C-alpha cells in the first residue's frame, strides 16, 4: 500500500469556505460600517425640529427625507420616511433651511463590474493561492506536476565528465565504450545488423562511481543526459509514477540520441512476489510501465537506459531479461592499481608534495571505495591547512587514512596510566603474534592514541601485495593475530578487559565463515550452511541448516577460536621479554612505525638490562 496519505479534504472545499466568508462580510459588515452615523426618526419628530428651527439642511428623495441638526457640532444624519405632505415645501421655506432633492447618480458600469466581480474574485484567487502554496510545500512541491518527469537534463558541457575522470574501473569503462561508439557511429553497427543494447545495469557497492560512469558515458558521447532517482517516480498519488515514466520516455524520444540514467532503480524495480500483505500497487504500476516502455521504444533511435543499484538480488526478473537491461556491468571495489589511479585523479587539483608515495597509501587502503579515497585526499588537504603548510605531505595522507578508518584523534582524552599500559600490551600483543606467524601481513603501524570511533588504539597491517584469495592458513593466522591482544592481557595482568570486543567479533565472523561458506571444515566438508544477502550492503548471512547442525557449527567455531587463542598465548610466552620491551617503548612514544617495531623485535637482548630505558631511543624515528 502507498505510505503517503491523501489529503483529508479536496482543494475546492477550501475555496468554497473562502467564498462563503467573503459573501457574509459583504452582506453584514459593509452595511454596518456605512450606516453607523445614520439614525432613524419618525415624521413628527422631523416636523417638531423644523418648527423649532433645529434643522440645518434637508435632502429629499423619492422614499425618505434626510436632514441634519443645526445645534450639533458633528451633526448626525437623521432619516425619516417621506409622507404625502403637500405643504412640505412651504414649511421648509418658512423655516429658512437649505433643502433640495437628491439627483440619482448611476455608478460607472466599469467600476460596478470591478467592485462586483473582479475584486471578490481577486481576493478569492489570492487566498486560494496562499492555501495552494502551503499544501504544495507539505506534498513535496509537486501538486500540479501530475505525470511530469522530474529528471534533470544535462548537455555534454554541463556534465563535464569523461572517461579520463574515471579511474580504477577499466573493465566497466570497456563495457560502456561500445555504447559510446554506437552513439557516435550507428551506421557501422546497422550495416552488419547489430542493435544497440537498450539498457545497461551498473551494479556495485556504494561509492564505487556508478553515477560518475553514467555521466562519463554521456560526456564521451556528447549527447543529452537525463538523470533521475528511482524514488522520484513514487510519490503521493497512485498512478503518478507510471505517468512520469511515460513522460520521461517521451522526452527522451524527442531528444534522441540521449542517455537516461535511473539511480537506485531498486526503489521501483523490486520483485513482484504477489503477497497481498507486502504489495505496493503504486510501485508495481510504475514497474509495469517501465517494462512496457522499454519494450516499446526503438533502440535504433539512440536512447540508452543506464541504471544503478547496489541491491541487484532484489530486482524483478522481468527487468533483467534480454531486451530490457541487456548488460550487467559490475562496478566493484578497486584493486591496488585502481586505488592508486583514483588517488592520482583526485589529487589533480590539490597541491601535493613531489615526494608523495601514492602506492603506499593505496596499499594501506585495501577495500576502500572511490568515494572513500576521494575523502582521504580531501582530509589530507585539510590536515595540511591545519598544520600551516601550502602543500600536502605524505604524513598528511597517512593521517587522513587513519581518520577515515578510525576517526579523528582524541588528543584531549583523559586516560589513566593503568589503562594506557593495558592498551599498550594489548596492541603489542597483536603485533608480536602477527610478526611470528608465517602467513600474516607485516605490521605497518602501532598506536595507543584514542580515536573518535571508540578505539583506544590499533595495530595496522599492510600486505606487500594485493590479496585476492585467502588460504586456510592465512585465515587461521588472522584469527590468531586477533586473539593476540586478549592473550597479552591474560599473560601480563592475569585478567581481561572489554578492549577485545571488536577483536572477538571479527575472529568469530572469520571462524564461522570458514565452516559455513568457505568449506574449510573437515566435519562439513564443502557444504554451504548459510547464504549471504545484500552482498554490497553489509553481506548479512543467514543459516540454512537444522538446529542440530547449527549447534555443531557453534562447537567448531569455539574450537577454532580456542586453538588460535592458545597459539597466540604460547607465542607471547615464548617472547615475553620482547613483549615487555615493546610495550614499554610504545607507552613512551604512543605511536611507532613498523620499521621501529621490527628493529626492536630483531635486536638481540643485552646484558645487563640496566640501560633498557634508553635503548629504544637510539633506534626510534622521532615523530
Amino acid at each position: 500500500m502507498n505510505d503517503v496519505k491523501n489529503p483529508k479534504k479536496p482543494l475546492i472545499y477550501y475555496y468554497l469556505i473562502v467564498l462563503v466568508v467573503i459573501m457574509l462580510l459583504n452582506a453584514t459588515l459593509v452595511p454596518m460600517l456605512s450606516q453607523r452615523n445614520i439614525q432613524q426618526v419618525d415624521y413628527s419628530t422631523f416636523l417638531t425640529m423644523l418648527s423649532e428651527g433645529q434643522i440645518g439642511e434637508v435632502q429629499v428623495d423619492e422614499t425618505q427625507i434626510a436632514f441634519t441638526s443645526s445645534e450639533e457640532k458633528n451633526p448626525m444624519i437623521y432619516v425619516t420616511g417621506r409622507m404625502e405632505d403637500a405643504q412640505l415645501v412651504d414649511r421648509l421655506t418658512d423655516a429658512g433651511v437649505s433643502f433640495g432633492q437628491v439627483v440619482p447618480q448611476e455608478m460607472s458600469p466599469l467600476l460596478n463590474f470591478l467592485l462586483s466581480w473582479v475584486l471578490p474574485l481577486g481576493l478569492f484567487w489570492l487566498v486560494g493561492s496562499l492555501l495552494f502554496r502551503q499544501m504544495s510545500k507539505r506534498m513535496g512541491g509537486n501538486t500540479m506536476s501530475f505525470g511530469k518527469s522530474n529528471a534533470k537534463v544535462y548537455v555534454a558541457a554541463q556534465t563535464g565528465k569523461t572517461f579520463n575522470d574515471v579511474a580504477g574501473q577499466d573493465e566497466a569503462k570497456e563495457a560502456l565504450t561500445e555504447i559510446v561508439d554506437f552513439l557516435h557511429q550507428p551506421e557501422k553497427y546497422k550495416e552488419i545488423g547489430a542493435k544497440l543494447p537498450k539498457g545497461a545495469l551498473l551494479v556495485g557497492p556504494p561509492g564505487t562511481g556508478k553515477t560518475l560512469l553514467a555521466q562519463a558515458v554521456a560526456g564521451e558521447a556528447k549527447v543529452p543526459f537525463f538523470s533521475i532517482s528511482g524514488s522520484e517516480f513514487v510519490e503521493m498519488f497512485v498512478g503518478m509514477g507510471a505517468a512520469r515514466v511515460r513522460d520521461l520516455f517521451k522526452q527522451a524520444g524527442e531528444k534522441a540520441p540521449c542517455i537516461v540514467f535511473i539511480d537506485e532503480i531498486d526503489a521501483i524495480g523490486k520483485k513482484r512476489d504477489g503477497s497481498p500483505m507486502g504489495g505496493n500497487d503504486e510501485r508495481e504500476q510504475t514497474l509495469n510501465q517501465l517494462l512496457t516502455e522499454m519494450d516499446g521504444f526503438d533502440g535504433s533511435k539512440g536512447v540508452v537506459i543506464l541504471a544503478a543499484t547496489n541491491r541487484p538480488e532484489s530486482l524483478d526478473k522481468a527487468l533483467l531479461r534480454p531486451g530490457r537491461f541487456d548488460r550487467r556491468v559490475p562496478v566493484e571495489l578497486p584493486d591496488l592499481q585502481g586505488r592508486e589511479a583514483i588517488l592520482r585523479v583526485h589529487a589533480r587539483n590539490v597541491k601535493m608534495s613531489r615526494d608523495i608515495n601514492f602506492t603506499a597509501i593505496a596499499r594501506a587502503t585495501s577495500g576502500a571505495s572511490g568515494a572513500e579515497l576521494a575523502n582521504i585526499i580531501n582530509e589530507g588537504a585539510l590536515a595540511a591547512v591545519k598544520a600551516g603548510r601550502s602543500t600536502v605531505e605524505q604524513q598528511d595522507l597517512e593521517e587522513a587514512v587513519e581518520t577515515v578508518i578510525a576517526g579523528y584523534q582524541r588528543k584531549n582524552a583523559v586516560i589513566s596510566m593503568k589503562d594506557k599500559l593495558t592498551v599498550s600490551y594489548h596492541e603489542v600483543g597483536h603485533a608480536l603474534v602477527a610478526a611470528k606467524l608465517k602467513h600474516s601481513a607485516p605490521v605497518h603501524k602501532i598506536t595507543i592514541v584514542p580515536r573518535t570511533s571508540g578505539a583506544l588504539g590499533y595495530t595496522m597491517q599492510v600486505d606487500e601485495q594485493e590479496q585476492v584469495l585467502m588460504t586456510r592458513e592465512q585465515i587461521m593466522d588472522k584469527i590468531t593475530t586477533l586473539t593476540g591482544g586478549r592473550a597479552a592481557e591474560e599473560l601480563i595482568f592475569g585478567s581481561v578487559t572489554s578492549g577485545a570486543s571488536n577483536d572477538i567479533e571479527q575472529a568469530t565472523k572469520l571462524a564461522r565463515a570458514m565452516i559455513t561458506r568457505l568449506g574449510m571444515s573437515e566435519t562439513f566438508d564443502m557444504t554451504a550452511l548459510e547464504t549471504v544477502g545484500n552482498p554490497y550492503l553489509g553481506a548479512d548471512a543467514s543459516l540454512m541448516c537444522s538446529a542440530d547442525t547449527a549447534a555443531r557449527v557453534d562447537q567448531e567455531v569455539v574450537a577454532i577460536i580456542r586453538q588460535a587463542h592458545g597459539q597466540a598465548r604460547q607465542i607471547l610466552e615464548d617472547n615475553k621479554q620482547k613483549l615487555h620491551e615493546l610495550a614499554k617503548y610504545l607507552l613512551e612514544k604512543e605511536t611507532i612505525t613498523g620499521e621501529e617495531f621490527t628493529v626492536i623485535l630483531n635486536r638481540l637482548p643485552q646484558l645487563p638490562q640496566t640501560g633498557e630505558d634508553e635503548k629504544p631511543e637510539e633506534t626510534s624515528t622521532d615523530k
Side-chain angles (χ1 to χ4, degrees):
M1 298 178 63
N2 200 337
D3 294 336
V4 183
K5 298 181 179 179
N6 290 330
K8 296 182 179 180
K9 299 292 183 182
L11 192 60
I12 190 64
Y13 175 81
Y14 298 98
Y15 276 99
L16 291 175
I17 291 178
V18 175
L19 182 61
V20 170
V21 170
I22 292 176
M23 293 176 63
L24 290 175
L25 292 176
N26 190 37
T28 59
L29 185 60
V30 174
M32 290 175 59
L33 294 175
S34 62
Q35 294 182 2
R36 60 183 180 179
N37 292 328
I38 300 175
Q39 181 177 351
Q40 295 281 345
V41 297
D42 53 25
Y43 193 74
S44 61
T45 302
F46 165 68
L47 295 178
T48 302
M49 293 178 65
L50 182 62
S51 63
E52 295 178 355
Q54 298 178 355
I55 294 179
E57 184 179 357
V58 177
Q59 287 188 353
V60 182
D61 61 14
E62 294 180 355
T63 60
Q64 65 182 8
I65 300 173
F67 60 94
T68 59
S69 175
S70 61
E71 297 181 354
E72 297 177 357
K73 294 182 180 180
N74 296 315
M76 181 179 291
I77 299 175
Y78 297 92
V79 177
T80 184
R82 180 172 180 179
M83 303 291 292
E84 293 296 334
D85 188 355
Q87 299 178 357
L88 178 60
V89 176
D90 296 335
R91 296 176 191 274
L92 293 172
T93 303
D94 295 341
V97 298
S98 174
F99 66 95
Q101 188 168 2
V102 177
V103 178
Q105 295 182 355
E106 294 185 0
M107 185 181 295
S108 169
L110 178 59
L111 183 59
N112 186 29
F113 174 77
L114 292 176
L115 294 178
S116 302
W117 294 96
V118 177
L119 181 60
L121 290 177
L123 294 175
F124 180 55
W125 174 83
L126 179 62
V127 176
S129 298
L130 294 176
L131 290 174
F132 174 77
R133 289 182 181 179
Q134 293 297 326
M135 294 179 64
S136 296
K137 291 179 181 178
R138 295 181 181 181
M139 295 186 291
N142 297 315
T143 310
M144 295 303 292
S145 60
F146 305 121
K148 295 296 183 181
S149 170
N150 289 336
K152 300 178 180 65
V153 183
Y154 303 93
V155 297
Q158 289 176 322
T159 61
K161 304 295 182 183
T162 64
F163 282 153
N164 293 329
D165 300 307
V166 182
Q169 299 294 343
D170 296 336
E171 293 79 8
K173 287 195 294 184
E174 183 178 353
L176 295 173
T177 301
E178 186 177 326
I179 296 177
V180 175
D181 188 48
F182 187 97
L183 293 175
H184 278 163
Q185 306 178 46
E187 297 80 9
K188 182 173 62 175
Y189 294 86
K190 292 179 181 178
E191 183 179 356
I192 199 173
K195 295 182 179 180
L196 175 69
K198 287 186 177 181
L201 184 65
L202 306 177
V203 178
T208 50
K210 298 182 290 294
T211 304
L212 180 62
L213 270 170
Q215 292 177 346
V217 171
E220 289 284 344
K222 295 181 174 58
V223 296
F225 177 71
F226 291 79
S227 177
I228 191 169
S229 174
S231 61
E232 295 184 42
F233 287 109
V234 183
E235 290 192 9
M236 179 176 176
F237 300 99
V238 176
M240 189 169 64
R244 287 187 170 177
V245 171
R246 289 191 294 269
D247 184 68
L248 174 62
F249 278 83
K250 179 181 177 182
Q251 293 182 44
E254 293 172 354
K255 293 185 178 295
C258 65
I259 293 175
V260 178
F261 177 63
I262 305 175
D263 199 6
E264 305 296 345
I265 196 174
D266 51 274
I268 59 172
K270 290 182 180 178
K271 295 178 181 178
R272 296 166 292 180
D273 52 7
S275 173
M277 298 300 294
N280 187 316
D281 291 339
E282 168 64 358
R283 180 175 54 78
E284 291 186 3
Q285 288 181 20
T286 307
L287 174 59
N288 291 335
Q289 187 64 44
L290 177 61
L291 298 175
T292 304
E293 293 291 340
M294 293 193 71
D295 278 342
F297 80 91
D298 185 6
S300 62
K301 293 182 179 179
V303 178
V304 180
I305 311 298
L306 297 180
T309 181
N310 39 42
R311 298 182 59 191
E313 72 284 347
S314 67
L315 296 180
D316 194 272
K317 290 184 178 179
L319 196 64
L320 302 177
R321 73 161 175 81
R324 285 173 180 152
F325 283 102
D326 303 274
R327 292 190 173 184
R328 178 166 171 167
V329 181
V331 188
E332 301 289 345
L333 294 172
D335 56 10
L336 177 61
Q337 294 181 350
R339 292 195 300 274
E340 183 176 352
I342 292 173
L343 289 170
R344 293 184 183 277
V345 166
H346 290 290
R348 288 176 183 173
N349 300 324
V350 180
K351 294 182 179 180
M352 312 293 290
S353 176
R354 294 183 179 180
D355 57 351
I356 291 293
N357 187 353
F358 287 107
T359 304
I361 302 300
R363 284 201 185 99
T365 52
S366 178
S369 66
E372 291 172 329
L373 295 171
N375 192 27
I376 287 173
I377 294 294
N378 186 59
E379 288 290 343
L382 295 176
V385 173
K386 291 179 182 177
R389 290 188 291 272
S390 58
T391 58
V392 178
E393 304 288 344
Q394 184 75 17
Q395 58 182 344
D396 298 323
L397 294 181
E398 291 178 353
E399 175 62 27
V401 171
E402 299 179 35
T403 299
V404 172
I405 294 175
Y408 294 95
Q409 293 185 10
R410 295 173 54 197
K411 297 180 180 180
N412 297 325
V414 179
I415 301 176
S416 66
M417 182 56 65
K418 179 181 178 181
D419 289 342
K420 290 182 69 174
L421 183 63
T422 302
V423 175
S424 179
Y425 274 101
H426 182 104
E427 299 303 333
V428 171
H430 285 308
L432 192 53
V433 170
K436 294 298 180 179
L437 294 172
K438 295 181 180 180
H439 305 285
S440 183
V443 176
H444 178 72
K445 185 177 183 179
I446 314 172
T447 181
I448 58 172
V449 176
R451 294 276 174 171
T452 53
S453 63
L456 297 177
Y458 62 89
T459 300
M460 181 185 294
Q461 295 175 254
V462 177
D463 283 306
E464 295 180 354
Q465 296 180 350
E466 187 81 350
Q467 293 289 337
V468 180
L469 299 175
M470 292 187 69
T471 64
R472 188 181 190 280
E473 291 75 18
Q474 287 176 319
I475 298 178
M476 282 300 302
D477 283 1
K478 192 169 185 178
I479 296 175
T480 305
T481 301
L482 289 170
T483 62
R486 170 62 64 85
E489 294 179 17
E490 294 172 339
L491 180 63
I492 301 303
F493 302 103
S495 63
V496 296
T497 67
S498 60
S501 59
N502 185 257
D503 302 331
I504 295 171
E505 181 181 355
Q506 293 186 50
T508 305
K509 283 184 178 181
L510 284 172
R512 184 172 294 275
M514 290 175 64
I515 299 167
T516 58
R517 288 191 288 118
L518 304 180
M520 296 180 178
S521 168
E522 295 181 359
T523 303
F524 299 105
D525 199 37
M526 293 177 61
T527 305
L529 302 177
E530 70 178 8
T531 57
V532 177
N534 296 335
Y536 299 126
L537 295 175
D540 298 327
S542 58
L543 284 172
M544 53 176 190
C545 58
S546 65
D548 293 338
T549 304
R552 293 170 62 191
V553 169
D554 292 338
Q555 293 175 0
E556 287 220 14
V557 170
V558 173
I560 289 175
I561 294 178
R562 180 174 286 117
Q563 176 187 346
H565 187 192
Q567 183 181 2
R569 187 180 178 98
Q570 185 62 47
I571 291 174
L572 295 178
E573 286 180 350
D574 295 341
N575 298 273
K576 194 171 184 179
Q577 182 179 354
K578 288 296 180 181
L579 178 62
H580 286 300
E581 185 179 356
L582 285 165
K584 185 176 182 181
Y585 182 68
L586 178 61
L587 182 65
E588 178 184 353
K589 293 295 184 180
E590 292 190 339
T591 300
I592 62 176
T593 64
E595 291 80 4
E596 293 176 277
F597 169 78
T598 304
V599 169
I600 298 175
L601 181 62
N602 296 331
R603 186 172 58 195
L604 296 175
Q606 299 181 6
L607 294 175
Q609 300 181 2
T610 55
E612 190 175 0
D613 292 347
E614 291 79 17
K615 292 301 180 182
E617 289 286 341
E618 299 174 2
T619 59
S620 65
T621 301
D622 197 2
K623 287 196 172 185

